[in-house]
Structure formats: C-alpha cells, structure tokens
Amino acid sequence: MKVPEKMYLQIECKNETDLKDLIVQLKVRSGRKNPYYIFLPKTDEDGKSVLSKDDFIGQFEDHFETGLMDYDGSAETANPEVEVSLFDPTWMMGNKKLAMAWPLLKNEKPKWNSREEQYSYMVSCKNPKFKMKPLMFNIEKSNRISVNIKKK
C-alpha cells in the first residue's frame, strides 16, 4: 500500500462538544497471518488527530518485531482497505502486567520515556464512554478519515 505522508482523522458525535482524548485504531492486513493494529494519536477537543507516515510505518515495524511468528507481510504489501474503530482499553486495564511486559520497541523509544508512560496514555483515553460501528476505509483513495461515534 502507498501510505500518505499524513492521515487526518475527524470524529463527530451528536450532542458532545469535547471530543478530546479518544484513540482510533486501524486494523491493517498484510500477509497471511494476524492483522496489524496502528493507533492514531489522541484526538484534540475538536475530535481531530493526525498520524504521520513515519509513525504508521514505525508502529507497523514494531508490531512485526513483537511477534515474528505471528505476522508476515509489510506496510508496502498491506491491503489499503483497513478497518477503522475505537481502541478498546479494557484488556490493557485488566492485564497491566502483561501489557507492561515488553520493553519499549525501536520506534516507541523516541516517543515514550517508559512503558508505564505509554500504558498510562492508552488507558486514560475516553473511549469507554463511547461506541462506534467499525468502518472500512481505503488509505490509498483518501488521507482523511471521518467517523461518527455515539455516547454509551
């Protein structure tokens, strides 16, 4: 797939003005094995977030590094049709020791001071207060993702 230099996310929610601290994930398929999950940065108050090409590829490479036997394919060979959904922090919250087991990976080190800092960032999202029906999006056709969410 051809990854754009930047991907722009806009979240809308009827009757909600503060859309800060939501995390959206992209489920990307490449190869024959498990999908890769790419996380956009938390949204600002207006529900906007921007993911750079370098961050997309960095997360993809780190994902591959965590489970060489579970993943194959590359960002270049990935299907441009991805599933967009809200990240669900429930597993991380209930399994902190497992979530913290890995050291920071190559592309995480410049972004985070520690695994604890990354963990806190992820579990502090406001996602549990909202729901969203996953949608399919073609990264090669547009670099602007627009989603609607609802309060639970």
Side-chain angles (χ1 to χ4, degrees), residues 93-150:
M93 291 173 169
N95 297 281
K96 184 174 181 179
K97 280 188 176 183
L98 288 173
M100 303 274 294
W102 282 88
L104 288 173
L105 301 168
K106 176 185 165 191
N107 294 289
E108 294 172 328
K109 287 178 183 176
K111 191 174 183 177
W112 307 104
N113 292 316
S114 66
R115 180 64 69 197
E116 179 71 41
E117 181 183 39
Q118 182 200 36
Y119 174 85
S120 295
Y121 176 89
M122 298 298 284
V123 300
S124 66
C125 70
K126 293 190 332 187
N127 291 22
K129 298 177 182 178
F130 296 91
K131 61 184 176 179
M132 173 192 159
K133 182 179 178 185
L135 62 94
M136 297 306 290
F137 180 81
N138 190 311
I139 289 175
E140 292 183 338
K141 291 185 179 179
S142 177
N143 67 341
R144 299 194 179 273
I145 305 168
S146 181
V147 298
N148 289 302
I149 62 174
K150 295 180 180 179

Side-chain angles (χ1 to χ4, degrees), residues 55-110:
D55 196 18
F56 181 100
I57 294 193
Q59 287 186 54
F60 203 98
E61 290 171 352
D62 283 352
H63 208 78
F64 183 78
E65 185 182 332
T66 64
L68 294 174
M69 299 301 288
D70 297 327
Y71 304 97
D72 64 355
S74 65
E76 293 81 21
T77 63
N79 186 337
E81 193 78 18
V82 301
E83 182 179 287
V84 181
S85 62
L86 283 176
F87 162 67
D88 181 358
T90 306
W91 182 88
M92 282 183 105
M93 291 173 169
N95 297 281
K96 184 174 181 179
K97 280 188 176 183
L98 288 173
M100 303 274 294
W102 282 88
L104 288 173
L105 301 168
K106 176 185 165 191
N107 294 289
E108 294 172 328
K109 287 178 183 176

